[in-house]
Amino acid sequence: MPHSPLDLLDDLLDQDGVATAAHRFVLGGPFGAEPAEDSSERLSHFADAGGLLVETSHSYAGGRAEAAVGQWLRRNPGTLAVTTKIGHDTTGQDIPLGHENVHDHVRASLDNLGVEVIDLLLYHCDDPVRPVTELADTLVSLVEAGHVRRVGVSNWRAERLTSLAHELAERGHTLVASYQFSLAEPDPALLEGSLHADAALLGVVREHRLPLLGWSSQARGFFARTGTQQVNGRPDPYDTEDNRARRRRCRELAGQLGTRPETVALAWTLHHPGIWPSIGPRTTEQLDRSLEARRLNLTSAQVRWLRHGG
């Protein structure tokens, strides 16, 4: 079996990833909802630029996303590590996270991706009616069965995340967390049930030294826009007065640095150790704009100013 690129990341995941910010991007995107050649071009470009981790989900693109990523992985074995999420059906609805149900979905993901082992497997959601101990046991059983290498969760509330971190630590595993994290703080009422890394969740992440995969790290394109825009026919959860001020500051600093405001916003995220920004470019040009954030060494004063002004 090819050596997993995630082996190169293990020390970084467990030591905040301070030394090599260049490798901390996680590549998402409209896999399965676009022509296969577009996905292939972007995945190859990401790998050539030193990227190591691609993310998808059992539910994305009506269940087609994993297979789309798998087409590329089969042609390029051992080139990128892969993380996928289970817990939603192909319509995006939550499913029960019973032991057999989870194992069935993981086996389907393995087939879709064309890999022998999933490098990082995340619960896409919680199943609050089940004890945390049961859900922890199921995650560990996936590792022990050789189906996955590392495990984590997305969209768990702080108190349940704390319990799961304890349970997995007792079993010798470091939990990986996945929440929205960016310079723009969203209106939680408009996130449709998803959770962003607020103060309570960040407290858990820091207390337990959990790696954090930050999805929507560029706030779904908010920093690249200049005006108000709906997202998928709904109000933009990032279009708030505070975030518009942050966008103006990004635009100002970008002018000084000779770059773009969305690149500055992403550099702000990279400034935070232990955060792995997930990016979702639709073109190689957009991907290069994100990768450019690696060369922006923001000062602590600039980081504070971008967030708080003053």
Side-chain angles (χ1 to χ4, degrees), residues 87-161:
H88 290 168
D89 63 22
T90 56
T91 69
Q93 298 299 308
D94 294 356
I95 63 169
L97 297 180
H99 180 94
E100 291 304 320
N101 208 21
V102 168
H103 275 257
D104 286 346
H105 274 248
V106 169
R107 283 190 286 267
S109 293
L110 287 166
D111 289 341
N112 290 336
L113 293 165
V115 297
E116 296 181 31
V117 185
I118 295 167
D119 297 290
L120 174 59
L121 187 282
L122 303 175
Y123 283 146
H124 211 152
C125 54
D126 193 2
D127 187 349
V129 302
R130 297 181 188 276
V132 170
T133 300
E134 176 189 338
L135 293 169
D137 286 340
T138 299
L139 287 175
V140 172
S141 73
L142 292 167
V143 178
E144 292 175 344
H147 295 327
V148 305
R149 289 188 170 89
R150 296 190 68 135
V151 294
V153 299
S154 181
N155 295 314
W156 281 42
R157 299 199 175 277
E159 62 277 8
R160 295 267 290 182
L161 185 67

Side-chain angles (χ1 to χ4, degrees), residues 34 37-38 49 51 147-148 154 196 238 248 253 273 290 300 309-310:
E34 64 179 355
E37 56 269 24
D38 292 349
H147 295 327
V148 305
S154 181
H196 75 98
Y238 301 98
R248 288 192 295 271
L253 185 56
S290 295
S300 296

